[in-house]
Amino acid sequence: MNDGRANSLGRIGRVLIGPLAIALLMAVLVALDKFAGLPIYNPGILLLALLVVVALTGDVIGTLLSVAIALAVAIWYMTTNIHRDSLTTRIIIISLAYVGVTAVVLTMRRRLFKALAAPAQAERLHFQAIMASMHDAIVETDWKGIRDVNASFCKMTGFAREELIG
């Protein structure tokens, strides 16, 4: 049961890391502007770099939430610090950049995870083929219980494979 709770807390952390990182970055930028007198007129590049890091390390839901928050913050920041004549163009460009870069990074991340999982799946299929070809009864276990059994074990015990796993 603790494992499930730890997994859900880990997921919540991966979802919240992006929005919290964006909030921290904006707090630093506002503090630099208000207290140090060092205004950052276009935080777009900093937010974009942070979104790339969030997309690589965080959860997909947190990344999408981060994009929405980053867009809202960037638009708010630009409306208070940029002349109105170039504001619309900048909002369109930064919106397309945030969404485009995040989509590319998430796609590459998904492909990377698939590529990393492929050897493990191939190894698992190879192991199952070896188990199926053996005439001895074989049971594979881990700390959760029975992971797999071969046909000889099922024949010997009279249980179906699906009944034994888990």
Side-chain angles (χ1 to χ4, degrees):
M1 181 178 292
N2 287 340
D3 186 41
R5 187 178 304 152
N7 284 341
S8 64
L9 289 176
R11 167 128 189 189
I12 290 170
R14 287 190 309 273
V15 167
L16 293 179
I17 191 150
L20 291 176
I22 289 172
L24 181 65
L25 175 65
M26 290 315 297
V28 168
L29 293 178
V30 168
L32 286 174
D33 185 16
K34 299 294 181 200
F35 302 118
L38 181 67
I40 308 289
Y41 292 109
N42 189 0
I45 298 299
L46 295 172
L47 286 169
L48 187 61
L50 186 58
L51 283 176
V52 169
V53 172
V54 167
L56 287 173
T57 59
D59 191 68
V60 174
I61 294 171
T63 300
L64 297 176
L65 186 61
S66 299
V67 170
I69 292 171
L71 279 172
V73 165
I75 290 170
W76 166 77
Y77 206 79
M78 284 189 289
T79 55
T80 59
N81 293 317
I82 296 177
H83 298 301
R84 298 280 178 213
D85 54 348
S86 65
L87 182 62
T88 305
T89 306
R90 285 183 182 231
I91 289 173
I92 291 171
I93 289 171
I94 205 162
S95 299
L96 291 175
Y98 285 5
V99 172
V101 166
T102 304
V104 167
V105 171
L106 286 176
T107 301
M108 296 306 291
R109 179 181 167 195
R110 188 179 69 232
R111 288 182 183 172
L112 176 67
F113 285 154
K114 271 187 182 177
L116 291 175
Q121 288 173 336
E123 182 180 327
R124 184 82 191 138
L125 288 174
H126 181 69
F127 180 73
Q128 286 176 340
I130 291 172
M131 279 184 58
S133 68
M134 297 189 74
H135 297 291
D136 295 331
I138 298 176
V139 179
E140 179 189 5
T141 62
D142 63 6
W143 63 276
K144 292 180 184 176
I146 295 176
R147 247 182 107 176
D148 203 358
V149 296
N150 67 350
S152 297
F153 186 83
C154 292
K155 201 181 291 183
M156 186 174 76
T157 61
F159 288 106
R161 184 174 176 267
E162 293 77 25
E163 293 175 304
L164 295 168
I165 294 177

